[in-house]
Protein backbone atom coordinates (compact mmCIF):
# COMPACT_ATOMS: atom_id res chain seq x y z
CA UNK A 1 0.00 0.00 0.00
CA UNK A 2 2.78 2.44 0.94
CA UNK A 3 4.48 1.81 -2.42
CA UNK A 4 1.36 2.51 -4.47
CA UNK A 5 1.87 5.13 -7.18
CA UNK A 6 -1.09 7.33 -8.24
CA UNK A 7 -0.36 7.10 -11.97
CA UNK A 8 -0.66 3.28 -11.80
CA UNK A 9 -4.30 3.50 -10.65
CA UNK A 10 -5.53 6.92 -11.80
CA UNK A 11 -9.24 6.04 -11.57
CA UNK A 12 -8.85 5.16 -7.87
CA UNK A 13 -7.14 8.44 -7.03
CA UNK A 14 -9.61 10.50 -9.05
CA UNK A 15 -12.44 8.86 -7.13
CA UNK A 16 -10.74 9.63 -3.80
CA UNK A 17 -10.30 13.30 -4.72
CA UNK A 18 -13.95 13.48 -5.78
CA UNK A 19 -15.07 11.97 -2.46
CA UNK A 20 -12.89 14.04 -0.11
CA UNK A 21 -12.41 17.51 -1.60
CA UNK A 22 -15.40 18.86 0.34
CA UNK A 23 -13.87 17.71 3.63
CA UNK A 24 -10.59 19.42 2.75
CA UNK A 25 -12.33 22.69 1.91
CA UNK A 26 -14.33 22.65 5.16
CA UNK A 27 -11.19 22.26 7.27
CA UNK A 28 -9.49 24.84 5.04
CA UNK A 29 -12.27 27.35 5.74
CA UNK A 30 -11.63 26.98 9.47
CA UNK A 31 -7.90 27.32 8.79
CA UNK A 32 -8.53 30.54 6.84
CA UNK A 33 -10.55 32.05 9.71
CA UNK A 34 -7.96 30.91 12.24
CA UNK A 35 -5.20 32.54 10.19
CA UNK A 36 -7.14 35.82 10.13
CA UNK A 37 -7.53 35.86 13.91
CA UNK A 38 -3.90 34.97 14.48
CA UNK A 39 -2.85 37.91 12.34
CA UNK A 40 -5.06 40.28 14.34
CA UNK A 41 -3.82 39.07 17.71
CA UNK A 42 -0.18 38.35 16.87
CA UNK A 43 0.95 41.69 18.30
CA UNK A 44 -0.22 40.68 21.78
CA UNK A 45 2.36 38.42 23.52
CA UNK A 46 -0.26 36.95 25.84
CA UNK A 47 -2.17 35.55 22.89
CA UNK A 48 0.57 33.05 22.08
CA UNK A 49 0.44 31.37 25.48
CA UNK A 50 -3.36 31.31 25.50
CA UNK A 51 -3.47 29.81 22.01
CA UNK A 52 -0.96 27.13 22.97
CA UNK A 53 -2.77 26.13 26.15
CA UNK A 54 -6.23 25.93 24.59
CA UNK A 55 -5.09 24.19 21.40
CA UNK A 56 -3.10 21.53 23.28
CA UNK A 57 -5.94 20.98 25.75
CA UNK A 58 -8.49 20.66 22.93
CA UNK A 59 -6.26 18.21 21.05
CA UNK A 60 -5.82 16.08 24.18
CA UNK A 61 -9.56 16.04 24.92
CA UNK A 62 -10.37 15.14 21.31
CA UNK A 63 -7.81 12.32 21.29
CA UNK A 64 -9.14 10.86 24.54
CA UNK A 65 -12.74 11.12 23.35
CA UNK A 66 -11.90 9.36 20.09
CA UNK A 67 -9.99 6.65 21.93
CA UNK A 68 -12.91 5.98 24.29
CA UNK A 69 -15.40 5.96 21.40
CA UNK A 70 -13.18 3.63 19.37
CA UNK A 71 -13.20 1.05 22.16
CA UNK A 72 -16.97 0.74 21.85
CA UNK A 73 -17.58 0.93 18.10
CA UNK A 74 -15.95 1.27 14.71
CA UNK A 75 -15.45 4.95 13.94
CA UNK A 76 -15.89 6.63 10.59
CA UNK A 77 -14.81 10.25 10.39
CA UNK A 78 -17.31 12.70 8.90
CA UNK A 79 -15.38 15.97 8.72
CA UNK A 80 -18.13 17.73 6.74
CA UNK A 81 -20.71 16.76 9.38
CA UNK A 82 -18.46 17.99 12.17
CA UNK A 83 -17.96 21.29 10.33
CA UNK A 84 -21.71 21.72 9.99
CA UNK A 85 -22.13 21.08 13.72
CA UNK A 86 -19.58 23.81 14.58
CA UNK A 87 -20.84 26.20 11.89
CA UNK A 88 -23.37 28.15 14.04
CA UNK A 89 -20.75 28.81 16.74
CA UNK A 90 -18.03 29.94 14.34
CA UNK A 91 -20.21 32.19 12.21
CA UNK A 92 -21.77 33.84 15.31
CA UNK A 93 -18.33 34.49 16.80
CA UNK A 94 -17.26 36.40 13.68
CA UNK A 95 -20.48 38.40 13.51
CA UNK A 96 -19.77 39.63 17.05
CA UNK A 97 -16.17 40.59 16.24
CA UNK A 98 -16.78 44.25 15.17
CA UNK A 99 -18.93 45.01 18.22
CA UNK A 100 -16.97 43.61 21.18
CA UNK A 101 -13.93 44.87 23.04
CA UNK A 102 -10.35 44.09 21.90
CA UNK A 103 -10.10 41.41 24.59
CA UNK A 104 -12.63 39.42 22.57
CA UNK A 105 -10.12 39.16 19.69
CA UNK A 106 -7.63 37.46 21.98
CA UNK A 107 -10.08 34.82 23.17
CA UNK A 108 -11.58 34.28 19.74
CA UNK A 109 -8.13 33.66 18.27
CA UNK A 110 -7.37 31.10 21.01
CA UNK A 111 -10.72 29.29 20.82
CA UNK A 112 -10.68 29.18 17.03
CA UNK A 113 -7.19 27.75 17.03
CA UNK A 114 -8.34 25.09 19.51
CA UNK A 115 -11.23 24.15 17.21
CA UNK A 116 -8.86 24.14 14.24
CA UNK A 117 -6.50 21.80 16.12
CA UNK A 118 -9.36 19.36 16.76
CA UNK A 119 -10.33 19.43 13.10
CA UNK A 120 -6.72 18.80 12.14
CA UNK A 121 -6.82 15.63 14.25
CA UNK A 122 -10.06 14.56 12.56
CA UNK A 123 -8.50 15.33 9.18
CA UNK A 124 -5.49 13.09 9.86
CA UNK A 125 -7.75 10.24 11.03
CA UNK A 126 -9.89 10.57 7.92
CA UNK A 127 -6.73 10.50 5.79
CA UNK A 128 -5.66 7.27 7.50
CA UNK A 129 -9.09 5.72 7.01
CA UNK A 130 -9.17 6.75 3.35
CA UNK A 131 -5.73 5.21 2.85
CA UNK A 132 -6.83 1.98 4.55
CA UNK A 133 -10.22 1.67 2.87
CA UNK A 134 -9.17 2.71 -0.63
CA UNK A 135 -5.68 1.19 -0.56
CA UNK A 136 -4.03 4.44 -1.60
CA UNK A 137 -0.70 5.92 -0.62
CA UNK A 138 -1.18 7.81 2.69
CA UNK A 139 1.33 10.43 1.56
CA UNK A 140 -0.95 11.33 -1.35
CA UNK A 141 -4.16 11.77 0.67
CA UNK A 142 -2.47 13.74 3.44
CA UNK A 143 -0.66 15.89 0.87
CA UNK A 144 -3.98 16.57 -0.84
CA UNK A 145 -5.62 17.67 2.42
CA UNK A 146 -2.54 19.53 3.63
CA UNK A 147 -2.11 21.59 0.46
CA UNK A 148 -5.67 22.90 0.69
CA UNK A 149 -5.90 23.35 4.46
CA UNK A 150 -2.51 24.90 5.19
CA UNK A 151 -2.59 27.08 2.07
CA UNK A 152 -5.94 28.57 3.14
CA UNK A 153 -4.58 29.09 6.66
CA UNK A 154 -1.60 31.03 5.30
CA UNK A 155 -3.84 33.04 2.96
CA UNK A 156 -6.02 33.98 5.93
CA UNK A 157 -2.98 35.06 7.96
CA UNK A 158 -1.61 37.22 5.13
CA UNK A 159 -5.04 38.65 4.33
CA UNK A 160 -5.65 39.60 7.96
CA UNK A 161 -2.24 41.21 8.20
CA UNK A 162 -2.82 43.48 5.21
CA UNK A 163 -6.51 44.12 5.93
CA UNK A 164 -5.84 45.62 9.37
CA UNK A 165 -4.79 48.96 7.92
CA UNK A 166 -7.25 49.09 5.03
CA UNK A 167 -10.62 50.82 5.12
CA UNK A 168 -12.81 50.28 2.07
CA UNK A 169 -16.07 52.14 1.33
CA UNK A 170 -16.25 53.35 4.90
CA UNK A 171 -16.18 49.80 6.32
CA UNK A 172 -13.88 49.36 9.32
CA UNK A 173 -11.15 46.70 8.94
CA UNK A 174 -12.65 44.42 11.61
CA UNK A 175 -16.08 44.59 9.96
CA UNK A 176 -14.56 43.79 6.57
CA UNK A 177 -12.64 40.85 7.99
CA UNK A 178 -15.78 39.55 9.71
CA UNK A 179 -17.77 39.80 6.48
CA UNK A 180 -15.10 37.95 4.51
CA UNK A 181 -14.91 35.18 7.11
CA UNK A 182 -18.70 34.80 7.33
CA UNK A 183 -18.95 34.65 3.53
CA UNK A 184 -16.29 31.92 3.26
CA UNK A 185 -17.76 29.91 6.13
CA UNK A 186 -21.23 30.07 4.60
CA UNK A 187 -19.89 29.13 1.19
CA UNK A 188 -18.15 26.05 2.62
CA UNK A 189 -21.35 25.10 4.45
CA UNK A 190 -23.22 25.24 1.13
CA UNK A 191 -20.52 23.16 -0.56
CA UNK A 192 -20.55 20.65 2.29
CA UNK A 193 -24.31 20.22 1.86
CA UNK A 194 -23.76 19.18 -1.74
CA UNK A 195 -23.87 22.56 -3.48
CA UNK A 196 -25.69 23.00 -6.75
CA UNK A 197 -25.26 19.33 -7.64
CA UNK A 198 -27.50 18.26 -4.79
CA UNK A 199 -30.03 20.95 -5.69
CA UNK A 200 -30.17 19.84 -9.33
CA UNK A 201 -30.32 16.18 -8.28
CA UNK A 202 -33.40 16.87 -6.17
CA UNK A 203 -35.02 18.75 -9.04
CA UNK A 204 -34.34 15.84 -11.38
CA UNK A 205 -35.99 13.41 -8.96
CA UNK A 206 -39.01 15.66 -8.57
CA UNK A 207 -39.61 16.13 -12.33
CA UNK A 208 -43.18 15.33 -13.49
CA UNK A 209 -44.03 11.94 -14.95
CA UNK A 210 -43.78 13.25 -18.53
CA UNK A 211 -39.99 13.55 -18.23
CA UNK A 212 -37.51 10.80 -18.91
CA UNK A 213 -37.97 7.95 -16.45
CA UNK A 214 -34.47 6.66 -17.09
CA UNK A 215 -32.70 9.80 -15.84
CA UNK A 216 -34.98 9.97 -12.78
CA UNK A 217 -34.16 6.38 -11.87
CA UNK A 218 -30.45 7.14 -12.05
CA UNK A 219 -30.81 10.08 -9.68
CA UNK A 220 -32.86 7.99 -7.25
CA UNK A 221 -30.16 5.35 -7.15
CA UNK A 222 -27.46 8.01 -6.65
CA UNK A 223 -29.31 9.46 -3.64
CA UNK A 224 -29.96 6.09 -2.01
CA UNK A 225 -27.43 5.18 0.71
CA UNK A 226 -25.47 2.01 0.01
CA UNK A 227 -25.51 0.53 3.50
CA UNK A 228 -28.03 1.90 6.01
CA UNK A 229 -26.90 1.84 9.63
CA UNK A 230 -29.06 2.01 12.70
CA UNK A 231 -28.73 5.15 14.80
CA UNK A 232 -30.34 6.04 18.12
CA UNK A 233 -33.97 6.91 17.58
CA UNK A 234 -34.03 5.57 14.02
CA UNK A 235 -35.40 2.36 12.53
CA UNK A 236 -32.95 -0.58 12.27
CA UNK A 237 -31.27 -1.23 8.90
CA UNK A 238 -33.04 -3.36 6.30
CA UNK A 239 -30.87 -6.30 5.27
CA UNK A 240 -30.78 -7.54 1.72
CA UNK A 241 -31.00 -11.25 2.52
CA UNK A 242 -29.78 -14.01 4.82
CA UNK A 243 -26.13 -13.53 3.92
CA UNK A 244 -26.16 -9.79 4.58
CA UNK A 245 -27.48 -10.54 8.08
CA UNK A 246 -24.74 -13.09 8.66
CA UNK A 247 -22.12 -10.61 7.46
CA UNK A 248 -23.47 -8.03 9.92
CA UNK A 249 -23.21 -10.55 12.76
CA UNK A 250 -19.62 -11.41 11.81
CA UNK A 251 -18.79 -7.69 11.75
CA UNK A 252 -20.26 -7.21 15.22
CA UNK A 253 -18.53 -10.27 16.68
CA UNK A 254 -15.05 -9.60 15.25
CA UNK A 255 -15.26 -5.77 15.19
CA UNK A 256 -14.55 -5.53 11.48
CA UNK A 257 -14.45 -2.20 9.68
CA UNK A 258 -17.21 -1.31 7.22
CA UNK A 259 -14.92 -1.87 4.23
CA UNK A 260 -13.67 -5.22 5.56
CA UNK A 261 -17.27 -6.33 6.02
CA UNK A 262 -18.13 -5.22 2.50
CA UNK A 263 -15.21 -7.17 1.03
CA UNK A 264 -16.07 -10.21 3.15
CA UNK A 265 -19.67 -10.26 1.96
CA UNK A 266 -18.66 -9.86 -1.67
CA UNK A 267 -16.22 -12.77 -1.35
CA UNK A 268 -18.87 -14.91 0.32
CA UNK A 269 -21.20 -14.19 -2.60
CA UNK A 270 -18.68 -15.68 -5.01
CA UNK A 271 -17.12 -12.53 -6.49
CA UNK A 272 -13.55 -12.64 -7.73
CA UNK A 273 -10.85 -10.22 -6.62
CA UNK A 274 -10.99 -8.47 -9.99
CA UNK A 275 -14.77 -8.04 -9.84
CA UNK A 276 -14.65 -6.70 -6.26
CA UNK A 277 -11.92 -4.22 -7.20
CA UNK A 278 -14.02 -3.03 -10.16
CA UNK A 279 -17.19 -2.65 -8.06
CA UNK A 280 -15.45 -0.76 -5.25
CA UNK A 281 -13.27 1.31 -7.64
CA UNK A 282 -9.98 0.26 -6.05
CA UNK A 283 -6.97 -1.69 -7.26
CA UNK A 284 -6.81 -5.49 -7.05
CA UNK A 285 -3.78 -5.14 -4.77
CA UNK A 286 -5.98 -3.16 -2.36
CA UNK A 287 -8.54 -5.97 -2.24
CA UNK A 288 -5.80 -8.51 -1.54
CA UNK A 289 -4.56 -6.30 1.30
CA UNK A 290 -8.10 -6.19 2.74
CA UNK A 291 -8.35 -9.97 2.41
CA UNK A 292 -5.09 -10.55 4.29
CA UNK A 293 -6.18 -8.23 7.08
CA UNK A 294 -9.65 -9.80 7.13
CA UNK A 295 -8.36 -13.36 7.29
CA UNK A 296 -5.97 -12.40 10.11
CA UNK A 297 -8.80 -10.92 12.17
CA UNK A 298 -11.03 -13.94 11.58
CA UNK A 299 -8.23 -16.45 12.22
CA UNK A 300 -8.72 -18.27 8.89
CA UNK A 301 -6.53 -19.02 5.89
CA UNK A 302 -8.72 -19.78 2.87
CA UNK A 303 -12.02 -18.93 1.24
CA UNK A 304 -13.84 -22.12 2.30
CA UNK A 305 -13.10 -21.35 5.94
CA UNK A 306 -14.59 -17.89 5.39
CA UNK A 307 -17.76 -19.41 3.91
CA UNK A 308 -18.03 -21.85 6.82
CA UNK A 309 -17.53 -19.06 9.34
CA UNK A 310 -20.16 -16.79 7.79
CA UNK A 311 -22.58 -19.71 7.51
CA UNK A 312 -22.13 -20.58 11.19
CA UNK A 313 -23.91 -17.41 12.32
CA UNK A 314 -27.65 -17.60 12.81
CA UNK A 315 -29.40 -14.72 11.00
CA UNK A 316 -32.42 -15.14 13.29
CA UNK A 317 -30.50 -13.10 15.86
CA UNK A 318 -31.29 -10.02 13.77
CA UNK A 319 -35.01 -10.82 13.47
CA UNK A 320 -37.03 -11.49 10.38
CA UNK A 321 -35.32 -10.87 7.02
CA UNK A 322 -35.97 -7.46 5.39
Amino acid sequence: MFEDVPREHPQVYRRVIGDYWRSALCVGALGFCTGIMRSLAVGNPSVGSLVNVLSMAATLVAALALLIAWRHQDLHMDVVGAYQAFFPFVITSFLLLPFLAPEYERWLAAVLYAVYSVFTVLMMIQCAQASRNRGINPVFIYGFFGCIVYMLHDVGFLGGTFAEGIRYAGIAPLAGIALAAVYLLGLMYFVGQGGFRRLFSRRAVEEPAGCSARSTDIELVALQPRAPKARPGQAPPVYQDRMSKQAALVQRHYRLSARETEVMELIARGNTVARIAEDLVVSENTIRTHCRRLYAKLGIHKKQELLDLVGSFDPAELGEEG
Side-chain angles (χ1 to χ4, degrees):
M1 178 178 69
F2 292 93
E3 298 178 354
D4 193 26
V5 179
R7 63 174 174 267
E8 295 179 358
H9 307 286
Q11 73 283 2
V12 176
Y13 284 85
R14 284 196 295 266
R15 179 69 176 270
V16 169
I17 292 174
D19 289 343
Y20 289 100
W21 66 271
R22 288 188 178 88
S23 297
L25 284 179
C26 287
V27 181
L30 286 176
F32 178 84
C33 297
T34 303
I36 289 177
M37 293 311 303
R38 286 189 65 192
S39 69
L40 296 180
V42 71
N44 189 343
S46 63
V47 173
S49 59
L50 185 61
V51 166
N52 290 336
V53 170
L54 286 185
S55 61
M56 288 189 292
T59 303
L60 176 61
V61 171
L64 291 175
L66 290 169
L67 180 61
I68 294 172
W70 172 80
R71 291 178 61 87
H72 293 86
Q73 62 180 356
D74 183 42
L75 294 178
H76 177 73
M77 289 297 104
D78 182 6
V79 172
V80 174
Y83 173 82
Q84 293 170 351
F86 274 95
F87 177 77
F89 156 75
V90 179
I91 198 171
T92 302
S93 66
F94 271 96
L95 287 174
L96 295 175
L97 179 61
F99 306 103
L100 299 182
E103 183 68 14
Y104 178 75
E105 296 178 28
R106 173 173 174 261
W107 279 98
L108 181 57
V111 172
L112 269 180
Y113 205 89
V115 173
Y116 175 61
S117 299
V118 172
F119 271 84
T120 302
V121 172
L122 299 182
M123 178 187 75
M124 290 188 290
I125 294 175
Q126 187 171 66
C127 288
Q129 289 183 334
S131 175
R132 178 198 65 185
N133 294 339
R134 306 296 184 89
I136 62 174
N137 194 314
V139 176
F140 171 86
I141 187 64
Y142 186 77
F144 170 70
F145 268 83
C147 284
I148 295 176
V149 173
Y150 301 133
M151 179 186 68
L152 284 175
H153 177 274
D154 292 345
V155 169
F157 183 83
L158 292 175
T161 301
F162 289 110
E164 257 190 297
I166 298 176
R167 180 183 295 269
Y168 179 77
I171 300 176
L174 280 182
I177 289 171
L179 286 174
V182 168
Y183 172 78
L184 183 63
L185 289 167
L187 182 62
M188 290 305 104
Y189 185 87
F190 175 72
V191 170
Q193 290 280 13
F196 290 108
R197 177 179 295 182
R198 182 176 180 181
L199 176 63
F200 293 149
S201 297
R202 285 181 173 178
R203 290 183 61 184
V205 173
E206 295 169 359
E207 287 290 340
C211 295
S212 170
R214 181 178 180 84
S215 63
T216 303
D217 290 341
I218 292 174
E219 294 297 343
L220 284 170
V221 171
L223 292 174
Q224 181 181 0
R226 292 183 61 181
K229 296 182 180 180
R231 295 179 181 272
Q234 294 182 354
V238 177
Y239 297 98
Q240 179 181 348
D241 52 21
R242 176 186 178 89
M243 183 170 290
S244 65
K245 286 188 173 185
Q246 291 173 317
L249 290 170
V250 174
Q251 178 186 25
R252 182 186 303 175
H253 184 79
Y254 289 95
R255 297 186 64 185
L256 303 179
S257 68
R259 180 48 63 94
E260 289 168 346
T261 306
E262 191 174 19
V263 171
M264 176 189 66
E265 184 174 346
L266 289 172
I267 293 174
R269 292 184 184 277
N271 293 280
T272 64
V273 170
R275 178 58 187 273
I276 296 173
E278 181 181 353
D279 289 345
L280 300 183
V281 198
V282 297
S283 66
E284 294 184 24
N285 183 55
T286 299
I287 299 301
R288 295 190 183 95
T289 300
H290 285 310
C291 289
R292 287 194 295 270
R293 188 182 297 115
L294 176 64
Y295 281 23
K297 284 188 176 182
L298 299 180
I300 57 177
H301 300 89
K302 54 186 179 181
K303 181 178 178 180
Q304 187 57 49
E305 293 181 20
L306 174 64
L307 296 176
D308 294 340
L309 177 63
V310 173
S312 67
F313 282 82
D314 184 7
E317 295 181 28
L318 293 176
E320 296 296 325
E321 294 188 6

